[in-house]
Amino acid sequence: KQEVTQIPAALSVPEGENLVLNCSFTDSAIYNLQWFRQDPGKGLTSLLLIQSSQREQTSGRLNASLDKSSGRSTLYIAASQPGDSATYLCAVTSGTYKYIFGTGTRLKVLA
Amino acid sequence: DAGVTQSPTHLIKTRGQQVTLRCSPKSGHDTVSWYQQALGQGPQFIFQYYEEEERQRGNFPDRFSGHQFPNYSSELNVNALLLGDSALYLCASSWGQGNTEAFFGQGTRLTVV
């Protein structure tokens, strides 16, 4: 059974810091890994999608990497801003079509 | 493109009542999935509809049922509401049978009192 874990559960950093969020999964037979952002009480905004054949994806200040063999992904946020404060969720898909989510990392960037 | 739209945005119901949540998929998408997100948790898969049939179901009781219409929109019905059903319900749409990227709506916040 696929399980997704995110560490840390919460993170507070001063503005301008570079930071890394971690995601691990137990079954390496995945199709995609996706990072989402969720603002309080809101839906999910897709940040980056990494297909199983890819090693990383980049969008602006965000970079996500994928290591299937070790069951790990990292989301790197460069030069953090207060507007980056949100919960970041990692999810994987496999042959069953559904997303399996971690419990998220709550990020607070202090001005 | 309006993206995935869900209605209503908020809802308050009493224990034992029934509720219907609605979802319109992103233009061009034919698959709709529903997720339940309790406070402080990641979303949990409820079920997925494709070609008007339930293709896959998560670990949820039969009180949770759904429907997909010919225009690909979908409804989630929950009967005999429990306090524990209070959550954010998210709809996601995608295209086809493969593991294509899903797009999520803004959710419906259900509070059961």
Side-chain angles (χ1 to χ4, degrees):
Chain A
K1 176 187 171 187
Q2 178 74 269
E3 293 183 359
V4 179
T5 304
Q6 292 187 245
I7 295 173
L11 185 61
S12 184
V13 300
E15 182 177 8
E17 271 204 8
N18 302 323
L19 55 99
V20 174
L21 307 182
N22 297 293
C23 171
S24 61
F25 46 95
T26 55
D27 185 349
S28 62
I30 64 170
Y31 282 98
N32 301 319
L33 184 142
Q34 196 161 352
W35 284 92
F36 295 88
R37 169 186 172 135
Q38 186 173 35
D39 293 295
K42 303 296 185 182
L44 306 182
T45 300
S46 177
L47 297 174
L48 291 165
L49 170 72
I50 310 176
Q51 296 178 347
S52 62
S53 59
Q54 300 173 322
R55 294 297 300 265
E56 66 177 342
Q57 284 285 349
T58 298
S59 176
R61 295 182 294 109
L62 305 179
N63 176 275
S65 67
L66 173 63
D67 184 344
K68 280 180 56 179
S69 62
S70 67
R72 293 182 182 181
S73 176
T74 60
L75 178 67
Y76 175 83
I77 302 176
S80 58
Q81 304 170 358
D84 295 331
S85 298
T87 295
Y88 291 81
L89 291 158
C90 162
V92 299
T93 61
S94 60
T96 57
Y97 309 119
K98 65 184 179 184
Y99 282 75
I100 299 173
F101 286 86
T103 53
T105 294
R106 292 190 314 279
L107 172 65
K108 187 169 186 178
V109 181
L110 306 171
Chain B
D1 183 0
V4 181
T5 58
Q6 293 185 241
S7 63
T9 55
H10 295 86
L11 203 51
I12 299 175
K13 289 287 189 179
T14 304
R15 273 182 303 174
Q17 285 189 316
Q18 179 264 344
V19 68
T20 297
L21 311 182
R22 296 177 175 82
C23 173
S24 293
K26 183 178 171 65
S27 178
H29 286 182
D30 58 6
T31 301
V32 174
S33 302
W34 288 92
Y35 292 80
Q36 180 196 66
Q37 186 179 23
L39 201 61
Q41 301 296 314
Q44 299 291 316
F45 176 77
I46 302 175
F47 43 53
Q48 183 180 86
Y49 278 84
Y50 173 72
E51 293 187 341
E52 301 180 51
E53 291 190 357
E54 183 183 289
R55 174 160 70 180
Q56 192 180 172
R57 187 179 184 91
N59 189 26
F60 279 82
D62 292 344
R63 297 186 298 108
F64 289 77
S65 63
H67 188 77
Q68 185 178 34
F69 298 94
N71 67 353
Y72 308 121
S73 67
S74 176
E75 290 182 348
L76 164 64
N77 300 292
V78 187
N79 295 322
L81 285 166
L82 304 173
L83 295 179
D85 295 331
S86 296
L88 181 68
Y89 288 84
L90 295 164
C91 169
S93 75
S94 57
W95 181 85
Q97 300 188 54
N99 283 281
T100 57
E101 183 178 5
F103 292 79
F104 284 79
Q106 289 300 298
T108 294
R109 170 69 63 187
L110 172 65
T111 302
V112 182
V113 297

